[in-house]
Amino acid sequence: MDIEQAMRDRRSIRGYSDKPVPRALLEEVLELAGCAPSSMNTQPWNFHVLSGEVLERVRKGNTERMLAGVPPSREIPAHGKYEGVHRDRQVDIAKQLFAAMGIAREDAERRQDWVMRGFRQFDAPVSVVVTYDRALEDHGPIGIFDAGAATYGLVLAAWSRGLGAVINGQGIMQSPVVRECAEIPEDQVILTCVALGWPDAEFPANDVKSVRRPMSEITSFQGFDAQGMGRRPGQGESQAG
């Protein structure tokens, strides 16, 4: 699969088969993710790959704390409530997912179960907890930005090898549980996690692909010539090729 196909076809996978995921394959994926660019080559990201009993303890701890009403405890600033167009996009994808799963608006039980799936890392066989080096916390958001680039590389690499993934902030909402179970060092900040596994072809929500904003809406071009060419000042047309 080439890079364009992976980028265009990739979608978030929220339902997984029971087929185990080889560690060797995960190592391939994570090596590719580590090729991401970073500010001044700082490479601040770390990947903690959880499966089996360790991941089950994280699921159990997340679920118990959330159901008990324990407030979320993330190590990066919470995004708060979205408003305006950003809220509209959030609602739109939720509507798509609920429609695919046949979850009615008034079905409180199934809606609650859907929410809890996120705290369970969507019952995936593998979860990759992404952290960045705490030493960069005083350098503004650059560590988060760079770790985000590596996280996108991770899901693209996974998709190119037939694995499904979903970047899942709910999975680390109770970060103390994750830190303890995954034995994450104190010199790292927990950013997010990525649920990974083989997609379940029978899971309806896996067919949902979010609608993307058109290029014309998200992009502006400045300084291009009448032919639409981008050149340095004084660069002749003969040099354009």
Side-chain angles (χ1 to χ4, degrees):
M1 183 183 297
D2 64 26
I3 186 65
E4 180 176 351
Q5 183 182 355
M7 293 178 75
R8 291 191 182 278
D9 292 350
R10 185 210 63 82
R11 58 188 179 275
S12 293
I13 297 299
R14 298 174 173 88
Y16 299 88
S17 76
D18 292 332
K19 181 181 176 181
V21 182
R23 173 172 169 170
L25 179 58
L26 293 169
E27 289 176 351
E28 278 184 35
V29 166
L30 293 166
E31 182 180 17
L32 284 171
C35 294
S38 61
S39 174
M40 306 295 180
N41 193 37
T42 48
Q43 302 180 52
W45 48 75
N46 310 278
F47 305 117
H48 301 269
V49 189
L50 313 184
S51 190
E53 290 301 318
V54 175
L55 181 51
E56 287 303 310
R57 289 200 300 272
V58 173
R59 287 195 237 271
K60 185 173 184 289
N62 276 345
T63 300
E64 289 178 348
R65 286 167 65 103
M66 294 306 298
L67 290 176
V70 177
S73 179
R74 297 184 66 174
E75 297 185 359
I76 61 171
H79 57 65
K81 184 178 180 181
Y82 291 127
E83 302 288 350
V85 66
H86 303 104
R87 173 61 177 169
D88 293 342
R89 293 178 191 136
Q90 180 187 23
V91 170
D92 286 345
I93 190 62
K95 287 180 177 178
Q96 285 182 263
L97 290 167
F98 287 147
M101 295 300 296
I103 301 175
R105 185 177 182 84
E106 63 275 9
D107 192 340
E109 182 177 349
R110 291 191 66 197
R111 291 172 75 91
Q112 172 74 357
D113 178 69
W114 181 262
V115 171
M116 295 311 299
R117 286 180 61 84
F119 297 113
R120 301 196 310 264
Q121 282 86 357
F122 294 93
D123 299 324
V126 175
S127 178
V128 180
V129 180
V130 182
T131 69
Y132 66 95
D133 297 334
R134 194 178 297 277
L136 296 183
E137 274 198 302
D138 293 336
H139 293 257
I142 192 65
I144 294 175
F145 178 90
D146 290 342
T151 302
Y152 183 42
L154 191 167
V155 298
L156 280 180
W159 187 264
S160 75
R161 279 153 172 74
L163 290 168
V166 59
I167 301 172
N168 175 29
Q170 288 174 297
I172 50 85
M173 200 70 80
Q174 296 290 347
S175 286
V177 171
V178 180
R179 180 172 293 281
E180 179 181 356
C181 293
E183 299 181 358
I184 295 175
E186 289 297 329
D187 63 355
Q188 298 176 22
V189 180
I190 296 174
L191 175 61
T192 193
C193 71
V194 180
L196 273 172
W198 303 105
D200 179 355
E202 303 301 318
F203 194 77
N206 286 347
D207 292 330
V208 172
K209 188 168 174 54
S210 58
V211 177
R212 296 294 163 155
R213 299 164 64 194
M215 186 273 294
S216 59
E217 182 181 316
I218 63 175
T219 309
S220 69
F221 293 90
Q222 308 290 336
F224 288 74
D225 66 18
Q227 289 74 44
M229 304 298 291
R231 299 192 178 100
R232 296 191 305 272
Q235 183 182 12
E237 290 197 14
S238 62
Q239 299 173 295

